[in-house]
Amino acid sequence: MENLLINILFVLLPILLFQLFYINTDLKYKNIILAIVFSISIMICMNFPITNYEGHLFDLRYIAFVLGALYGGKKVAIFLYCVILFYRFYIGGAGFYIAFIDSTLLLIILLFLLIPKYQTYSLKTKINVTMALLGLSAIISFISCHTLFGFILHAPIVLLSSFVVAQALTMGLSVYFLEYLISIDTMKKQLYHNEKLKSLSEMAASISHEVRNPLTVTRGFIQLLKSPGIDDEKKNTYLDLSLQELDRAETIISDYLTFAKPHVNVDLELLNITDEMNYVANVMQPYALMQNVSIKKEFLVKDSYILGNRKQFHQCLINLSKNAIESMQNGGKLVFKVTKENKKITLKLTDTGVGMSSEQIARLGVPFFTNKEKGTGLGTMVAFSIVKAMKGDIKVNSKMNEGTTFTISIPESVSKSKTD
Ligand code: ADP
Ligand code: MG
């Protein structure tokens, strides 16, 4: 009994090692490692036979042999075959001839019948086939031994039959165990692959979201151009702003392409905060008009600068103002306020819209969180990450049915000389 357990252990142990070397790596030499590991297992099985009945070794070496052959391929099969014969020869005794007959028979079946088709079998077939093979090989081994030396079948029938069963069961268990480990690994790889696909689709969604912003704005301008009695000066301003926005759409696309690459060198420049806020307010004007929203500016600073990427900064504010305007379906007021305190510039975007519950606030900035039918739930996420990149922070205050205030504070940059 003890030795049976030792045999089973030494058959199962290589499977664990197999997992380490075979599954987890793309090792060039994995078949060599496999051959060595299973050879050791074979030799240990033969050294600690379950019983030794008048020179006939009852051990589980053939399980290691079959496993190594089926999962390592033909070369491993031939190598393990040689190991069995050499080692059996080294141990000595007439049993060598039995081993020769058994292993040659197994090798032929493996090489010509099993190995070529094995990987196409279902798990159930794999277990059934290998169990049958090992059970049968034990019986054949007894018959050939009896034919040659005429003693083994006199051994207690309990011993013989329990060996056949033990060998077959251990084989089935080993295959099940191994296949289980392989399936876990396949699942892991699948998961990794899915994860990659997911980030790809997130990327695509965010690109289309960001491009939609300038398109909506441009659409607003064009709609205004259609209104009757519009003077030339206004017409030109609208046209210019439309063109600017279309350019923005284009640069966003190219920006995202650079985002896709690991490291981005975005150009940082000193931004005059009131100029940029004016720009954004102008850009949002038509969209606000469409929704009956009036935009109010309260700029309490002059000639203050922050360091950042201009396009990204615009994108951040446009995303937030767009949300603010969208929250005021029945019209309202959007206030842009700029103040300065302790070398920090504070921007406040206050709307009189539907507001948010505390659960909604908590989920802000989480990708794909949206309450809109056609929303993407990326606007705030992008805005938050841009503020973070500018070493700023962002706070949200909101009351249901009263309105929302986004407060962004960004460190002031003092070196004005650069901007002149
Ligand atoms: P989207 O605008 O595509 O829905 P966002 O990330 O821009 O995605 O916004 C996520 C959600 O946060 C919105 O669906 C909206 O419910 C809520 N939200 C954002 N800003 C405001 C705001 N100023 N007032 C009310 N709700 C807002
Ligand atoms: Mg949005």
Side-chain angles (χ1 to χ4, degrees), residues 209 319-328 349 351 353-356 360 363-366 368-382 396 398 403-406:
H209 175 260
N319 285 356
L320 296 180
S321 352
K322 200 166 163 270
N323 282 342
I325 293 170
E326 283 162 3
S327 79
M328 299 181 275
L349 274 85
D351 65 58
V354 290
M356 283 179 276
Q360 283 177 327
R363 293 185 63 189
L364 268 186
V366 174
F368 307 110
F369 162 66
T370 178
N371 293 310
K372 295 169 196 163
E373 209 177 303
K374 284 188 179 161
T376 58
L378 288 165
T380 45
M381 182 197 76
V382 169
V396 190
S398 190
T404 308
T405 301
F406 278 83

